[in-house]
Amino acid sequence: QVQLVESGGGLVQPGGSLRLSCAASGSISSISTMGWYRQAPGKERELVATITITSFGTTNYADSVKGRFTISRDNAQNTVYLQMDSLKPEDTAVYYCVYRNLINRSQYWGQGTQVTVSS
């Protein structure tokens, strides 16, 4: 089992920044990925960014956030961060942290944190 605790959401004006954090605990594998998805009202959950929990830290971003969002990780703390800059109203959504074990294919989700971009 893996538990994920997210923090850092809130209300921000367009053009502003927020940083989300996701702390993982439990049976964490080094052969895994962590990342963020989001779901806006009336829309399907979509990928935002992922990062491998390996020495390479390979990242993957949705086209809509490239150049504005940065995912990073602190393996010692089993924590993943999402730095969100130049936020737009269309970034408004509930952001979910996800952990995936690449060996046994198990997947865990956080409870979600609301991000609202509005003036």
PDB file of all heavy atoms in Angstrom, residues 97-118:
ATOM      1  N   CYS A  97      -2.466  13.681  -7.277  1.00  0.00           N
ATOM      2  CA  CYS A  97      -1.163  13.028  -7.314  1.00  0.00           C
ATOM      3  C   CYS A  97      -1.373  11.541  -7.572  1.00  0.00           C
ATOM      4  O   CYS A  97      -2.342  10.938  -7.085  1.00  0.00           O
ATOM      5  CB  CYS A  97      -0.454  13.240  -5.980  1.00  0.00           C
ATOM      6  SG  CYS A  97       1.175  12.481  -5.857  1.00  0.00           S
ATOM      7  N   VAL A  98      -0.463  10.949  -8.336  1.00  0.00           N
ATOM      8  CA  VAL A  98      -0.548   9.520  -8.631  1.00  0.00           C
ATOM      9  C   VAL A  98       0.812   8.881  -8.454  1.00  0.00           C
ATOM     10  O   VAL A  98       1.846   9.485  -8.760  1.00  0.00           O
ATOM     11  CB  VAL A  98      -1.083   9.284 -10.058  1.00  0.00           C
ATOM     12  CG1 VAL A  98      -0.135   9.850 -11.109  1.00  0.00           C
ATOM     13  CG2 VAL A  98      -1.341   7.802 -10.314  1.00  0.00           C
ATOM     14  N   TYR A  99       0.794   7.666  -7.951  1.00  0.00           N
ATOM     15  CA  TYR A  99       2.004   6.841  -7.830  1.00  0.00           C
ATOM     16  C   TYR A  99       1.772   5.549  -8.596  1.00  0.00           C
ATOM     17  O   TYR A  99       0.718   4.919  -8.447  1.00  0.00           O
ATOM     18  CB  TYR A  99       2.290   6.529  -6.357  1.00  0.00           C
ATOM     19  CG  TYR A  99       3.319   5.439  -6.163  1.00  0.00           C
ATOM     20  CD1 TYR A  99       4.668   5.758  -6.070  1.00  0.00           C
ATOM     21  CD2 TYR A  99       2.952   4.110  -6.092  1.00  0.00           C
ATOM     22  CE1 TYR A  99       5.622   4.769  -5.908  1.00  0.00           C
ATOM     23  CE2 TYR A  99       3.891   3.110  -5.928  1.00  0.00           C
ATOM     24  CZ  TYR A  99       5.228   3.439  -5.841  1.00  0.00           C
ATOM     25  OH  TYR A  99       6.175   2.452  -5.699  1.00  0.00           O
ATOM     26  N   ARG A 100       2.754   5.153  -9.404  1.00  0.00           N
ATOM     27  CA  ARG A 100       2.643   3.904 -10.158  1.00  0.00           C
ATOM     28  C   ARG A 100       3.902   3.065  -9.953  1.00  0.00           C
ATOM     29  O   ARG A 100       5.008   3.533 -10.209  1.00  0.00           O
ATOM     30  CB  ARG A 100       2.461   4.172 -11.648  1.00  0.00           C
ATOM     31  CG  ARG A 100       1.145   4.813 -12.027  1.00  0.00           C
ATOM     32  CD  ARG A 100       0.937   4.789 -13.523  1.00  0.00           C
ATOM     33  NE  ARG A 100      -0.347   5.385 -13.899  1.00  0.00           N
ATOM     34  CZ  ARG A 100      -0.485   6.611 -14.368  1.00  0.00           C
ATOM     35  NH1 ARG A 100       0.575   7.387 -14.515  1.00  0.00           N
ATOM     36  NH2 ARG A 100      -1.670   7.076 -14.683  1.00  0.00           N
ATOM     37  N   ASN A 101       3.698   1.842  -9.511  1.00  0.00           N
ATOM     38  CA  ASN A 101       4.799   0.881  -9.409  1.00  0.00           C
ATOM     39  C   ASN A 101       4.934   0.207 -10.767  1.00  0.00           C
ATOM     40  O   ASN A 101       3.999  -0.442 -11.251  1.00  0.00           O
ATOM     41  CB  ASN A 101       4.469  -0.140  -8.316  1.00  0.00           C
ATOM     42  CG  ASN A 101       5.592  -1.126  -8.083  1.00  0.00           C
ATOM     43  OD1 ASN A 101       6.141  -1.682  -9.022  1.00  0.00           O
ATOM     44  ND2 ASN A 101       5.927  -1.353  -6.835  1.00  0.00           N
ATOM     45  N   LEU A 102       6.082   0.379 -11.397  1.00  0.00           N
ATOM     46  CA  LEU A 102       6.265  -0.131 -12.754  1.00  0.00           C
ATOM     47  C   LEU A 102       6.526  -1.635 -12.790  1.00  0.00           C
ATOM     48  O   LEU A 102       6.523  -2.232 -13.873  1.00  0.00           O
ATOM     49  CB  LEU A 102       7.416   0.622 -13.436  1.00  0.00           C
ATOM     50  CG  LEU A 102       7.196   2.126 -13.568  1.00  0.00           C
ATOM     51  CD1 LEU A 102       8.401   2.780 -14.229  1.00  0.00           C
ATOM     52  CD2 LEU A 102       5.940   2.427 -14.368  1.00  0.00           C
ATOM     53  N   ILE A 103       6.770  -2.241 -11.641  1.00  0.00           N
ATOM     54  CA  ILE A 103       7.015  -3.688 -11.601  1.00  0.00           C
ATOM     55  C   ILE A 103       5.696  -4.440 -11.482  1.00  0.00           C
ATOM     56  O   ILE A 103       5.399  -5.316 -12.293  1.00  0.00           O
ATOM     57  CB  ILE A 103       7.949  -4.043 -10.435  1.00  0.00           C
ATOM     58  CG1 ILE A 103       9.296  -3.308 -10.587  1.00  0.00           C
ATOM     59  CG2 ILE A 103       8.147  -5.557 -10.365  1.00  0.00           C
ATOM     60  CD1 ILE A 103      10.047  -3.656 -11.844  1.00  0.00           C
ATOM     61  N   ASN A 104       4.906  -4.107 -10.469  1.00  0.00           N
ATOM     62  CA  ASN A 104       3.654  -4.852 -10.276  1.00  0.00           C
ATOM     63  C   ASN A 104       2.424  -4.120 -10.787  1.00  0.00           C
ATOM     64  O   ASN A 104       1.299  -4.595 -10.632  1.00  0.00           O
ATOM     65  CB  ASN A 104       3.468  -5.210  -8.801  1.00  0.00           C
ATOM     66  CG  ASN A 104       3.325  -3.993  -7.908  1.00  0.00           C
ATOM     67  OD1 ASN A 104       2.952  -2.913  -8.357  1.00  0.00           O
ATOM     68  ND2 ASN A 104       3.619  -4.167  -6.629  1.00  0.00           N
ATOM     69  N   ARG A 105       2.638  -2.956 -11.392  1.00  0.00           N
ATOM     70  CA  ARG A 105       1.556  -2.188 -12.039  1.00  0.00           C
ATOM     71  C   ARG A 105       0.528  -1.621 -11.058  1.00  0.00           C
ATOM     72  O   ARG A 105      -0.536  -1.181 -11.475  1.00  0.00           O
ATOM     73  CB  ARG A 105       0.830  -3.036 -13.084  1.00  0.00           C
ATOM     74  CG  ARG A 105       1.726  -3.622 -14.156  1.00  0.00           C
ATOM     75  CD  ARG A 105       2.221  -2.577 -15.102  1.00  0.00           C
ATOM     76  NE  ARG A 105       2.965  -3.136 -16.229  1.00  0.00           N
ATOM     77  CZ  ARG A 105       3.455  -2.435 -17.219  1.00  0.00           C
ATOM     78  NH1 ARG A 105       3.310  -1.126 -17.228  1.00  0.00           N
ATOM     79  NH2 ARG A 105       4.113  -3.009 -18.199  1.00  0.00           N
ATOM     80  N   SER A 106       0.818  -1.628  -9.778  1.00  0.00           N
ATOM     81  CA  SER A 106      -0.132  -1.035  -8.836  1.00  0.00           C
ATOM     82  C   SER A 106      -0.131   0.482  -8.992  1.00  0.00           C
ATOM     83  O   SER A 106       0.873   1.083  -9.402  1.00  0.00           O
ATOM     84  CB  SER A 106       0.218  -1.424  -7.405  1.00  0.00           C
ATOM     85  OG  SER A 106       1.526  -0.986  -7.068  1.00  0.00           O
ATOM     86  N   GLN A 107      -1.250   1.088  -8.657  1.00  0.00           N
ATOM     87  CA  GLN A 107      -1.434   2.529  -8.849  1.00  0.00           C
ATOM     88  C   GLN A 107      -2.237   3.079  -7.680  1.00  0.00           C
ATOM     89  O   GLN A 107      -3.221   2.469  -7.257  1.00  0.00           O
ATOM     90  CB  GLN A 107      -2.159   2.776 -10.169  1.00  0.00           C
ATOM     91  CG  GLN A 107      -2.461   4.217 -10.467  1.00  0.00           C
ATOM     92  CD  GLN A 107      -3.016   4.384 -11.874  1.00  0.00           C
ATOM     93  OE1 GLN A 107      -2.291   4.339 -12.851  1.00  0.00           O
ATOM     94  NE2 GLN A 107      -4.322   4.570 -11.965  1.00  0.00           N
ATOM     95  N   TYR A 108      -1.813   4.228  -7.198  1.00  0.00           N
ATOM     96  CA  TYR A 108      -2.489   4.863  -6.076  1.00  0.00           C
ATOM     97  C   TYR A 108      -2.693   6.343  -6.385  1.00  0.00           C
ATOM     98  O   TYR A 108      -1.838   6.972  -7.020  1.00  0.00           O
ATOM     99  CB  TYR A 108      -1.665   4.715  -4.789  1.00  0.00           C
ATOM    100  CG  TYR A 108      -1.434   3.281  -4.389  1.00  0.00           C
ATOM    101  CD1 TYR A 108      -0.351   2.567  -4.891  1.00  0.00           C
ATOM    102  CD2 TYR A 108      -2.325   2.628  -3.541  1.00  0.00           C
ATOM    103  CE1 TYR A 108      -0.138   1.253  -4.540  1.00  0.00           C
ATOM    104  CE2 TYR A 108      -2.118   1.302  -3.181  1.00  0.00           C
ATOM    105  CZ  TYR A 108      -1.029   0.617  -3.686  1.00  0.00           C
ATOM    106  OH  TYR A 108      -0.828  -0.687  -3.341  1.00  0.00           O
ATOM    107  N   TRP A 109      -3.816   6.871  -5.893  1.00  0.00           N
ATOM    108  CA  TRP A 109      -4.167   8.270  -6.108  1.00  0.00           C
ATOM    109  C   TRP A 109      -4.274   9.015  -4.793  1.00  0.00           C
ATOM    110  O   TRP A 109      -4.692   8.444  -3.781  1.00  0.00           O
ATOM    111  CB  TRP A 109      -5.510   8.376  -6.831  1.00  0.00           C
ATOM    112  CG  TRP A 109      -5.495   7.858  -8.225  1.00  0.00           C
ATOM    113  CD1 TRP A 109      -5.770   6.587  -8.629  1.00  0.00           C
ATOM    114  CD2 TRP A 109      -5.186   8.590  -9.417  1.00  0.00           C
ATOM    115  NE1 TRP A 109      -5.658   6.491 -10.001  1.00  0.00           N
ATOM    116  CE2 TRP A 109      -5.290   7.713 -10.510  1.00  0.00           C
ATOM    117  CE3 TRP A 109      -4.820   9.921  -9.663  1.00  0.00           C
ATOM    118  CZ2 TRP A 109      -5.058   8.098 -11.830  1.00  0.00           C
ATOM    119  CZ3 TRP A 109      -4.583  10.305 -10.969  1.00  0.00           C
ATOM    120  CH2 TRP A 109      -4.700   9.412 -12.033  1.00  0.00           C
ATOM    121  N   GLY A 110      -3.923  10.289  -4.823  1.00  0.00           N
ATOM    122  CA  GLY A 110      -4.157  11.153  -3.691  1.00  0.00           C
ATOM    123  C   GLY A 110      -5.601  11.621  -3.662  1.00  0.00           C
ATOM    124  O   GLY A 110      -6.392  11.300  -4.552  1.00  0.00           O
ATOM    125  N   GLN A 111      -5.938  12.401  -2.659  1.00  0.00           N
ATOM    126  CA  GLN A 111      -7.331  12.827  -2.471  1.00  0.00           C
ATOM    127  C   GLN A 111      -7.689  14.023  -3.351  1.00  0.00           C
ATOM    128  O   GLN A 111      -8.861  14.341  -3.512  1.00  0.00           O
ATOM    129  CB  GLN A 111      -7.576  13.183  -0.995  1.00  0.00           C
ATOM    130  CG  GLN A 111      -7.065  14.550  -0.550  1.00  0.00           C
ATOM    131  CD  GLN A 111      -5.569  14.600  -0.307  1.00  0.00           C
ATOM    132  OE1 GLN A 111      -4.850  13.609  -0.494  1.00  0.00           O
ATOM    133  NE2 GLN A 111      -5.086  15.760   0.122  1.00  0.00           N
ATOM    134  N   GLY A 112      -6.685  14.672  -3.916  1.00  0.00           N
ATOM    135  CA  GLY A 112      -6.922  15.821  -4.782  1.00  0.00           C
ATOM    136  C   GLY A 112      -6.826  17.137  -4.039  1.00  0.00           C
ATOM    137  O   GLY A 112      -7.155  17.230  -2.859  1.00  0.00           O
ATOM    138  N   THR A 113      -6.344  18.144  -4.750  1.00  0.00           N
ATOM    139  CA  THR A 113      -6.265  19.499  -4.193  1.00  0.00           C
ATOM    140  C   THR A 113      -6.771  20.488  -5.244  1.00  0.00           C
ATOM    141  O   THR A 113      -6.418  20.385  -6.423  1.00  0.00           O
ATOM    142  CB  THR A 113      -4.830  19.832  -3.737  1.00  0.00           C
ATOM    143  OG1 THR A 113      -4.817  21.110  -3.088  1.00  0.00           O
ATOM    144  CG2 THR A 113      -3.842  19.838  -4.889  1.00  0.00           C
ATOM    145  N   GLN A 114      -7.601  21.416  -4.815  1.00  0.00           N
ATOM    146  CA  GLN A 114      -8.232  22.345  -5.752  1.00  0.00           C
ATOM    147  C   GLN A 114      -7.279  23.476  -6.107  1.00  0.00           C
ATOM    148  O   GLN A 114      -6.680  24.113  -5.222  1.00  0.00           O
ATOM    149  CB  GLN A 114      -9.503  22.941  -5.138  1.00  0.00           C
ATOM    150  CG  GLN A 114     -10.200  23.973  -6.004  1.00  0.00           C
ATOM    151  CD  GLN A 114     -10.845  23.379  -7.234  1.00  0.00           C
ATOM    152  OE1 GLN A 114     -11.526  22.356  -7.159  1.00  0.00           O
ATOM    153  NE2 GLN A 114     -10.638  24.008  -8.397  1.00  0.00           N
ATOM    154  N   VAL A 115      -7.169  23.748  -7.390  1.00  0.00           N
ATOM    155  CA  VAL A 115      -6.442  24.915  -7.896  1.00  0.00           C
ATOM    156  C   VAL A 115      -7.435  25.755  -8.678  1.00  0.00           C
ATOM    157  O   VAL A 115      -8.059  25.266  -9.623  1.00  0.00           O
ATOM    158  CB  VAL A 115      -5.263  24.504  -8.792  1.00  0.00           C
ATOM    159  CG1 VAL A 115      -4.658  25.734  -9.471  1.00  0.00           C
ATOM    160  CG2 VAL A 115      -4.217  23.770  -7.983  1.00  0.00           C
ATOM    161  N   THR A 116      -7.587  27.007  -8.284  1.00  0.00           N
ATOM    162  CA  THR A 116      -8.501  27.917  -8.956  1.00  0.00           C
ATOM    163  C   THR A 116      -7.722  29.141  -9.419  1.00  0.00           C
ATOM    164  O   THR A 116      -7.066  29.807  -8.614  1.00  0.00           O
ATOM    165  CB  THR A 116      -9.635  28.352  -8.025  1.00  0.00           C
ATOM    166  OG1 THR A 116     -10.349  27.198  -7.574  1.00  0.00           O
ATOM    167  CG2 THR A 116     -10.609  29.277  -8.752  1.00  0.00           C
ATOM    168  N   VAL A 117      -7.803  29.423 -10.708  1.00  0.00           N
ATOM    169  CA  VAL A 117      -7.123  30.579 -11.289  1.00  0.00           C
ATOM    170  C   VAL A 117      -8.196  31.550 -11.741  1.00  0.00           C
ATOM    171  O   VAL A 117      -8.927  31.294 -12.696  1.00  0.00           O
ATOM    172  CB  VAL A 117      -6.221  30.178 -12.465  1.00  0.00           C
ATOM    173  CG1 VAL A 117      -5.447  31.402 -12.970  1.00  0.00           C
ATOM    174  CG2 VAL A 117      -5.283  29.063 -12.071  1.00  0.00           C
ATOM    175  N   SER A 118      -8.292  32.656 -11.036  1.00  0.00           N
ATOM    176  CA  SER A 118      -9.366  33.604 -11.306  1.00  0.00           C
ATOM    177  C   SER A 118      -8.976  34.977 -10.786  1.00  0.00           C
ATOM    178  O   SER A 118      -8.293  35.098  -9.766  1.00  0.00           O
ATOM    179  CB  SER A 118     -10.661  33.143 -10.645  1.00  0.00           C
ATOM    180  OG  SER A 118     -11.685  34.118 -10.797  1.00  0.00           O
TER     181      SER A 118
END
